[in-house]
Amino acid sequence: MACELAEKAKEAIIDDDFELAVDLYSKAIKLDPTNADYFADRAQAYIKLNNFTEAVADANKAIELASSIAKAYLRKGTACMKLEEYHTAKRALEIGASLAPDDSRFTKLIKECDLHIAEEFYDQRKSLAPNVPLSATPASVGSCKNETISSEKPKYRHEYYQKPEEVVLTIFAKGIPAENVTVDFGEQILSVTINVPGEDTYHFQPQLFGKILPDRSKYQVLSTKIEIHLAKAEVINWTSLEYCKGIIVPQKINVSSVGSRRPSYPSSKSRAKDWDKLEAQVKSEERDEKLDGDAALNKLFRDIYQNADDDMRRAMTKSFVESSGTVLSTDWKEVGSKKVEGSAPEGMVMNKWEY
């Protein structure tokens, strides 16, 4: 019966009826919950419906059931790229490429990830007003108006609070063995699964308000709850736990100065220092600093990139990456439609980058 449903789901995908495909795969999964192919193929249908968070969750489940299934890594990589989680996408695609070395889709998508990662690295985003107070007090999970509202009461209640460097999420699940809990960290996706034999599996997969550092995030299963520590990638104030479409980007937090006043320091001297004047002097010295060699070249590159428009930035990133650092062009019309070949100076040999 499950096989028949899966075949009908494949036909639905061919007919571009992706909602029907999701419904059919869901019924097949209910009959055969250990079939990794069903999860991987439902992930593809979710991608077509632009439900990328659900696609990542299904791809993760397929990988959990069968770690050698290449298409699951392809679906995870594709969905993560749509969510602009390029580092997570690249890791998944690299594993998939090792399982299916003849599939050119992996190579193409990995190159796209590298270009986006390079753009992120060189993108000098301007800081918004830094002095924003932040308290480590519990916040309401439902504070975002755009969050998905479900008529069903969740199986486990959860809440969160935040500090400047991390968000602490608590899921109140009492008496759950640690081996029944799976937590996966993405750049902006959290996937929590609680699988207790004889009960319906609990899934919680929010797209997070901001990006996190997966390697520094952690969790622990306690007797009354699951406590998850999400290390923030940026020191910003999360106005909700989940990402909301159209939300205003929050202001960055100056950790060393919480509040609008500058810190005052006790001193035995009668004359106080003018800290604003001192800061301006340091910045002026940094601008006028005389640099040589690679340091001067890197500063020139940063200055050009910071003042460039989007087309110039794309041209600079593409030419620099594809030429292994030997060509830097700001003309997108010139480099956008062709691969930029590099050339080493006379008497030297150029080593190509692996990207």
Side-chain angles (χ1 to χ4, degrees):
M1 185 63 179
C3 293
E4 294 176 5
L5 289 168
E7 287 300 320
K8 290 180 180 179
K10 289 180 182 178
E11 293 174 5
I13 288 180
I14 294 173
D15 294 335
D16 292 341
D17 193 345
F18 305 115
E19 290 184 356
L20 176 59
V22 167
D23 182 59
L24 291 169
Y25 277 127
S26 298
K27 291 178 180 178
I29 287 170
K30 194 169 184 179
L31 294 172
D32 186 3
T34 61
N35 192 309
D37 286 310
Y38 296 166
F39 285 98
D41 291 337
R42 190 174 67 173
Q44 175 68 358
Y46 275 135
I47 290 171
K48 294 295 185 180
L49 291 170
N50 295 329
N51 295 337
F52 304 120
T53 304
E54 291 85 347
V56 173
D58 269 3
N60 281 336
K61 183 61 179 179
I63 292 168
E64 178 188 334
L65 292 170
S67 60
S68 61
I69 183 169
K71 64 181 176 181
Y73 295 98
L74 180 64
R75 308 279 157 74
K76 181 177 181 178
T78 302
C80 285
M81 288 181 69
K82 293 294 185 180
L83 292 168
E84 298 183 1
E85 295 200 9
Y86 301 114
H87 291 278
T88 304
K90 183 180 178 182
R91 286 194 293 269
L93 292 167
E94 287 175 337
I95 297 173
S98 67
L99 296 170
D102 296 329
D103 192 336
S104 61
R105 292 176 296 178
F106 287 105
T107 305
K108 179 182 176 182
L109 292 174
I110 290 171
K111 287 183 178 180
E112 287 185 27
C113 283
D114 282 331
L115 287 173
H116 285 296
I117 290 169
E119 284 180 352
E120 285 185 344
F121 179 78
Y122 288 112
D123 186 17
Q124 302 293 325
R125 289 178 295 180
K126 294 181 180 179
S127 298
L128 299 174
N131 297 317
V132 179
L134 176 69
S135 59
T137 56
S140 171
V141 176
S143 60
C144 175
K145 294 180 180 180
N146 292 329
E147 287 177 359
T148 303
I149 300 175
S150 173
S151 59
E152 296 182 6
K153 186 178 180 181
K155 187 175 182 180
Y156 300 112
R157 181 172 63 89
H158 63 271
E159 66 179 29
Y160 78 97
Y161 68 90
Q162 61 181 307
K163 302 175 184 178
E165 300 85 5
E166 71 172 359
V167 172
V168 181
L169 169 66
T170 301
I171 298 176
F172 295 95
K174 187 176 180 180
I176 304 296
E179 59 267 22
N180 296 121
V181 178
T182 303
V183 179
D184 292 316
F185 300 102
E187 285 180 82
Q188 202 168 347
I189 293 179
L190 173 68
S191 179
V192 181
T193 302
I194 302 176
N195 191 4
V196 179
E199 299 181 11
D200 291 337
T201 302
Y202 169 81
H203 294 289
F204 181 50
Q205 290 109 6
Q207 182 178 0
L208 300 171
F209 177 88
K211 290 190 175 183
I212 63 172
L213 302 173
D215 294 341
R216 297 185 185 178
S217 299
K218 58 186 179 180
Y219 74 97
Q220 59 181 147
V221 181
L222 304 174
S223 59
T224 59
K225 62 185 179 180
I226 301 166
E227 192 171 274
I228 303 170
H229 293 258
L230 305 170
K232 293 180 181 179
E234 292 182 289
V235 183
I236 59 174
N237 184 25
W238 288 21
T239 57
S240 65
L241 178 66
E242 299 187 46
Y243 170 79
C244 306
K245 190 175 181 181
I247 197 167
I248 298 175
V249 177
Q251 295 176 322
K252 289 188 177 181
I253 301 162
N254 187 342
V255 179
S256 63
S257 177
V258 179
S260 58
R261 296 183 179 179
R262 287 184 172 272
S264 59
Y265 303 95
S267 173
S268 59
K269 294 183 179 180
S270 58
R271 199 175 89 185
K273 280 187 177 291
D274 187 338
W275 295 103
D276 289 320
K277 183 177 180 181
L278 183 61
E279 181 182 22
Q281 181 180 348
V282 170
K283 289 183 176 179
S284 176
E285 290 174 355
E286 289 177 347
R287 285 196 303 269
D288 298 335
E289 183 182 9
K290 302 298 182 183
L291 301 173
D292 297 316
D294 290 342
L297 184 62
N298 288 335
K299 184 177 185 299
L300 175 62
F301 185 95
R302 288 197 303 271
D303 290 343
I304 295 174
Y305 193 89
Q306 186 173 9
N307 297 316
D309 58 28
D310 290 339
D311 283 342
M312 290 175 66
R313 290 185 177 187
R314 283 197 294 269
M316 293 171 70
T317 302
K318 185 174 186 292
S319 61
F320 193 80
V321 172
E322 291 184 348
S323 69
S324 299
T326 61
V327 176
L328 181 62
S329 173
T330 58
D331 189 349
W332 179 249
K333 292 181 180 179
E334 178 186 354
V335 303
S337 59
K338 63 179 182 180
K339 183 176 181 180
V340 181
E341 299 293 340
S343 60
E346 185 176 355
M348 299 183 70
V349 177
M350 184 182 73
N351 291 325
K352 290 188 176 181
W353 290 350
E354 295 294 332
Y355 65 89

